[in-house]
Amino acid sequence: SNQSKTITKTYANVIKVGTESNWLQEDFDRFKTAGDNGWTAIDVTQNGYNWLSNSGKTPSENTGPLTDSSSNSGLGTYMYAEATGAKPGDIAEFISPCITINYENSELEFAYHMFGNHVGELHVDIKTDDGYVNDVIPALIGRQQRNQGDAFLTKDIDLSSYVNQTIKIRFRAVRGDEWDGDIAIDNIFIKT
């Protein structure tokens, strides 16, 4: 008799959920909200303090940048933590997608703008498989620009100790005492 036999094979594979890249070059110009393209924005204290995408100046007078850090037209997009409507000490987190660090001479560069009479703090943390390493550079505290129209400043962070690891970058804003303390970031990239 012609009986058919079925042979079943099962393949096991580990699938890493989320966006993963071995490079990062983000100017946020393609973003409509802070949660686009694998990034996550979290209002930790749930008082309305969060990261938002913006072009041009922020809605509050005398705080925040006038434009993004790179476009000559001023129409580029950046991310900022809006201080108006939040409470002192509130925390907002902005977390990157997964990034694999392949080269020992890797650095993270980011641009920041912190102008206003009551700017709080900007912390940069790195998430590894073992959890978060907080404050991989000293926290940026208080006003960093003298005038609202001043250019964004940049910081570099050595990533050599994370080589061959998959990490996430967390920007953690802590709101200052009053509404005039918007914190902005832009042009985040890994360079080797």
Side-chain angles (χ1 to χ4, degrees), residues 58-71:
T58 64
S60 312
E61 287 297 316
N62 299 317
T63 186
L66 297 176
T67 65
D68 77 324
S69 79
S70 59
S71 69

Side-chain angles (χ1 to χ4, degrees), residues 2 41 78 87 113-114 132 140 166 174 192:
N2 286 343
Y78 59 89
K87 294 182 169 66
H113 196 286
M114 298 168 67
Y132 277 103
L140 298 165
T166 299
V174 180
T192 53

Side-chain angles (χ1 to χ4, degrees), residues 16 140 180:
K16 202 159 199 172
L140 298 165
D180 52 350

Side-chain angles (χ1 to χ4, degrees), residues 75-91:
L75 300 176
T77 303
Y78 59 89
M79 293 295 151
Y80 83 107
E82 170 61 70
T84 302
K87 294 182 169 66
D90 281 354
I91 299 169

